[in-house]
Amino acid sequence: MTSVERDRPRRSVLAVPGSSAKMIEKAKTLPADAIFLDLEDAVAAIAKVEARGRIVEALNSDGWGEQIKVVRVNDWTTPWTHGDVIEVVSGAGANLDAILLPKVETASHVQALDLLLTQVEKLAGLPVGAIDIEPQIESARSLRNIDAIATASPRVRTLVFGPADLMASVNMRTLVVGEQPEGYDTGDAYHHILMTILLAARTHGLQAIDGPYLQIRDLDAFRRAAGRTAGLGFDGKWVLHPTQIDAANEIFSPRPSDFDKAEMILDAYEFHTSAAGGGRGAVMLGDEMIDEASRKMALVVSAKGRAAGMTRTTSFTPPAT
């Protein structure tokens, strides 16, 4: 992918079992920003090898929209990882944006995948380095090693939170992924985990994606969970059912009023800091003072809105002199 393509929004990331041709065909028509075809948890051990061929066929077939296309392979502790990568990339690497690598615990896991990808790309005549790596952070150890993981390869563009395995890793007392554990009465039990992933992503110029909410029939609860991570600054969230897609796309996009305000701040700050505007570094915009810090915050909201295809409904008019 080019740098522009790598910055495409990932507000909704739809998980699709690689063993289900019917579900893959349905996924092609859905408005998710990204789709990952799964060879790991969603596919039984006896069906994994067969699912590789189904994924290759699906990636090479017609009917896709503008979705980012990802395949989640099995982790390095299994006997399937190298076979997953070799068959999928050699068969459909030209139509693949990224490999999602689960249960990454050290930088060496990412580096091993990078080396294997490079070999397969060369043998298949593909551009070397075009396929990204998305490490999934799923254990206490991976959280401790997150900076090394984030910088293990230039292919790493996204960090993904795997909540279920991480919850088990730290012995969290709950069976509902994404909900607060019993006895944790105030605050958010996931806050430290989420902020650690987010800070690593932002430090190293990566996107940060939240994991799934498993109670797929409870859309209100999904919206609450997604709202928490969107509020922190995450770029998107996994969705497990088509009903969650629109909610994720909405929640991880700026509100129209916030997008308008951000665009207004940028225009006003550009004018007032120019010679024509008096070269001032801090001015009033309505009832609010804006300065360089305001500009930086507005840039974030503006970039997210533009990436989501939003258009402003207001315009800035320089004050009369």
Side-chain angles (χ1 to χ4, degrees), residues 60-166:
N60 291 334
S61 64
D62 296 329
W64 291 98
E66 297 299 317
Q67 306 100 327
I68 297 168
K69 295 186 284 295
V70 183
V71 170
R72 181 165 71 165
V73 298
N74 290 278
D75 76 89
W76 282 117
T77 67
T78 75
W80 300 295
T81 317
H82 71 289
D84 292 345
V85 175
I86 292 169
E87 185 166 344
V88 169
V89 175
S90 62
N95 298 313
L96 179 65
D97 294 306
I99 293 289
L100 174 59
L101 183 63
K103 299 176 178 60
V104 175
E105 298 211 324
T106 67
S108 64
H109 290 178
V110 176
Q111 291 161 349
L113 179 56
D114 188 340
L115 290 169
L116 180 56
L117 277 172
T118 298
Q119 290 183 346
V120 179
E121 286 168 338
K122 288 179 178 179
L123 288 171
L126 299 168
V128 173
I131 297 173
D132 290 340
I133 296 174
E134 301 187 358
Q136 196 168 1
I137 307 302
E138 300 190 78
S139 70
R141 189 181 183 198
S142 65
L143 205 65
R144 289 294 192 181
N145 291 328
I146 193 166
D147 286 297
I149 291 168
T151 56
S153 164
R155 294 180 188 265
V156 176
R157 300 295 303 174
T158 307
L159 295 177
V160 180
F161 176 36
D165 281 281
L166 206 150

Side-chain angles (χ1 to χ4, degrees), residues 6-7 15 17 42 44 46 67 88 111 117 163 177 185 190 248 275 312:
R6 282 171 166 149
D7 291 334
I46 60 172
Q67 306 100 327
V88 169
Q111 291 161 349
L117 277 172
V177 176
D185 298 326
Y190 307 98
R312 64 191 297 178

